[in-house]
Amino acid sequence: MIPTDKKGIMEDFSDLIFMVIALFFMFFFVLAVFQTDTGAKDGATQTRLDYFHSDQDLLDYLNYPAMLDGREMRMKEILFHAADTSDGELFRQKTREYFQQRGFAGTVSVYETTAYQSGGLPLFSETNAVFSSGGRSEAILNDKKFGSITIVMQG
Amino acid sequence: MKSKKGAVFHWIAAGVLLAIGIFAFFSYDPEIGTKIKGEWQLGFLQDYYVPAEEKLLQVEQAALEAGAETILALAENGGFAADSECGSSNGVQYWNTKEIFCFLQVTEEINGAFNAILIKDHGGDEPYLLTYQGSELIGSAVTEITIADGADSYTVAPHFRVNLNYRFDEYFQLQNEAAVLVNICKWDGDLKRCLQEQKLEHWKFSDCDSPEFREDGRKIAFCVESPGSYSVFKGGKELKIRYKLGLDFTPSPAEFSASSY
């Protein structure tokens, strides 16, 4: 059916143009809202991603190979050895080595788990950063003789 | 609307709006706006992967400790997880009788000792199938660890491969040395002199700190220092590996009669 009434056609065209303009503004508004929403949610994703990277850094630190008296060890063994012998210098030396090798900036603290849970002081702590802005991760390791230690890493 | 012919555009517009409405109705999502990217994936990593990796770390730490204790326990017991088939005397396991040598099945002994220590002292609940390669102890888990929360779950096999900085192959070297010593000295009437002359430097009588020749018939207890000078750290202390074992230098009648001809 082809319309032939010119007045009717003009009315319909003006309705159409009005609708297009209205839709354009509506689309613009919705897009602006979605854009803002996306930005905020990207931020949330980034924060969670930072937490995950922080967890990965901690796992990497605990598995970092280190030599002690010619013996090949992992950092987790060094931590228990340092705790067993109250050798803070050994912890600091190996942790600094890790910071340097991995280009890591942050703080590592080792607590007895009971002390950590009651807000006590760490057994050892080493930092190479004035301010820490990254994620914070912690892991608990157990040793038959020494007991349980909590390792806290702040990137 | 006066123009019936022009009304077609209104119907088209109404149709389009209706179509959008139907589409919106069936694809309705109460969460307006974009979703957080990777929310499920990051949640999975945080709630399942990271705890599982921490669990594996703990398994490795327990394996290191149990491994060190296994080395010491086996060395203290002549390499045997239980008792030697060649018998024992005063807590010393003998490596031979006058007839036979009770050669160690090293891997079996490691399996026996390690699993007993892991389960008894380190809260292990499942035995491992163990092998060794160089200075590394390799444990294959029999059962898997599942981290589950609601509908999701993550399963890992808690295998491990830890460096003990010690080679169980030392037992083969010591067995060879023991066999040579027995073959040389069992016919010698002056056993003490023969052993003093023939035994290697790291073989000591009775006790490594204060060696003393003690003869029980022709059975001699030895303390053998690790030829590779291995040691383990336990509780912050470095403990040297010292093997306690006994050798029987009684000549076998069969060999004696054979050599008499």
Side-chain angles (χ1 to χ4, degrees):
Chain A
M1 189 196 300
I2 300 165
T4 51
D5 184 338
K6 284 184 181 176
K7 196 182 171 193
I9 290 170
M10 285 305 289
E11 279 178 3
D12 288 336
F13 267 120
S14 62
D15 283 353
L16 195 65
I17 289 164
F18 176 76
M19 200 170 75
V20 166
I21 293 168
L23 280 173
F24 172 77
F25 279 107
M26 207 167 77
F27 177 74
F28 185 78
F29 173 74
V30 168
L31 198 71
V33 170
F34 277 20
Q35 284 286 357
T36 313
D37 193 39
T38 305
K41 287 181 174 170
D42 277 355
T45 302
Q46 193 57 51
T47 305
R48 293 192 71 174
L49 205 55
D50 286 344
Y51 278 122
F52 175 62
H53 285 151
S54 177
D55 284 334
Q56 274 193 312
D57 284 340
L58 180 56
L59 291 170
D60 180 54
Y61 170 75
L62 293 172
N63 275 319
Y64 182 72
M67 297 294 285
L68 178 65
D69 297 339
R71 302 161 68 86
E72 200 180 293
M73 291 183 160
R74 301 275 163 180
M75 190 62 88
K76 55 181 181 285
E77 293 171 80
I78 298 283
L79 296 183
F80 278 116
H81 188 77
D84 273 332
T85 55
S86 303
D87 191 347
E89 187 47 40
L90 174 67
F91 162 79
R92 280 187 286 279
Q93 185 199 332
K94 297 297 176 189
T95 303
R96 270 188 229 126
E97 192 181 301
Y98 172 82
F99 286 165
Q100 205 171 10
Q101 289 292 321
R102 292 286 197 261
F104 179 85
T107 305
V108 176
S109 303
V110 179
Y111 297 79
E112 276 185 72
T113 298
T114 47
Y116 180 69
Q117 285 163 348
S118 58
L121 292 171
L123 291 168
F124 318 114
S125 187
E126 179 64 14
T127 185
N128 67 347
V130 180
F131 299 107
S132 294
S133 56
R136 175 190 165 95
S137 289
E138 55 188 65
I140 296 173
L141 285 177
N142 296 305
D143 175 84
K144 189 180 135 196
K145 182 174 179 292
F146 189 81
S148 178
I149 58 171
T150 299
I151 304 102
V152 180
M153 181 180 249
Q154 178 103 38
Chain B
M1 187 80 52
K2 287 176 184 176
S3 168
K4 287 181 181 176
K5 290 177 181 174
V8 70
F9 285 103
H10 285 283
W11 285 113
I12 290 170
V16 168
L17 286 172
L18 188 67
I20 292 170
I22 291 168
F23 174 77
F25 178 77
F26 284 108
S27 62
Y28 176 70
D29 188 339
E31 196 174 318
I32 296 168
T34 51
K35 291 181 179 177
I36 294 175
K37 287 175 193 164
E39 188 179 22
W40 183 88
Q41 289 84 349
L42 284 168
F44 180 82
L45 290 171
Q46 207 75 43
D47 299 336
Y48 297 91
Y49 171 75
V50 171
E53 287 299 307
E54 285 176 2
K55 180 81 182 162
L56 292 179
L57 211 64
Q58 189 59 55
V59 165
E60 249 185 44
Q61 184 60 29
L64 279 164
E65 286 178 51
E69 286 171 34
T70 300
I71 295 167
L72 292 170
L74 287 178
E76 180 70 23
N77 207 40
F80 292 97
D83 281 340
S84 166
E85 284 178 21
C86 288
S88 63
S89 173
N90 297 323
V92 176
Q93 302 294 332
Y94 277 79
W95 276 13
N96 69 322
T97 62
K98 61 182 178 181
E99 286 95 12
I100 56 161
F101 248 93
C102 298
F103 288 112
L104 288 165
Q105 301 297 317
V106 178
T107 307
E108 279 178 28
E109 304 301 341
I110 294 169
N111 272 276
F114 180 93
N115 283 317
I117 290 168
L118 187 76
I119 290 168
K120 185 173 165 236
D121 296 339
H122 295 275
D125 44 12
E126 289 288 340
Y128 275 84
L129 193 61
L130 296 145
T131 54
Y132 63 95
Q133 198 171 55
S135 61
E136 289 182 325
L137 185 66
I138 302 156
S140 297
V142 178
T143 52
E144 295 172 324
I145 296 173
T146 299
I147 295 175
D149 182 18
D152 296 323
S153 68
Y154 181 56
T155 302
V156 288
H159 305 312
F160 64 80
R161 187 183 186 109
V162 292
N163 188 350
L164 297 176
N165 291 289
Y166 168 82
R167 288 174 183 268
F168 285 101
D169 284 340
E170 273 206 327
Y171 280 105
F172 298 117
Q173 179 185 342
L174 295 181
Q175 283 183 158
N176 288 337
E177 290 171 3
V180 170
L181 199 59
V182 169
N183 284 335
I184 292 173
C185 290
K186 70 177 173 181
W187 302 109
D188 201 313
D190 190 349
L191 183 60
K192 184 179 179 182
R193 184 194 51 76
C194 178
L195 289 174
Q196 279 170 337
E197 285 174 4
Q198 298 297 330
K199 72 178 179 56
L200 295 168
E201 189 63 28
H202 52 273
W203 285 72
K204 317 276 185 194
F205 293 121
S206 305
D207 187 61
C208 284
D209 292 321
S210 51
E212 188 185 341
F213 180 81
R214 286 185 215 137
E215 195 173 356
D216 176 15
R218 283 180 70 87
K219 287 183 168 182
I220 308 292
F222 291 93
C223 170
V224 187
E225 289 181 335
S226 163
S229 304
Y230 291 119
S231 59
V232 295
F233 280 117
K234 192 181 173 194
K237 289 178 187 166
E238 187 178 11
L239 302 174
K240 289 179 179 174
I241 308 296
R242 290 168 163 180
Y243 303 91
K244 285 188 181 174
L245 58 103
L247 294 176
D248 188 345
F249 293 89
T250 310
S252 58
E255 283 179 296
F256 180 76
S257 56
S259 63
S260 304
Y261 281 99

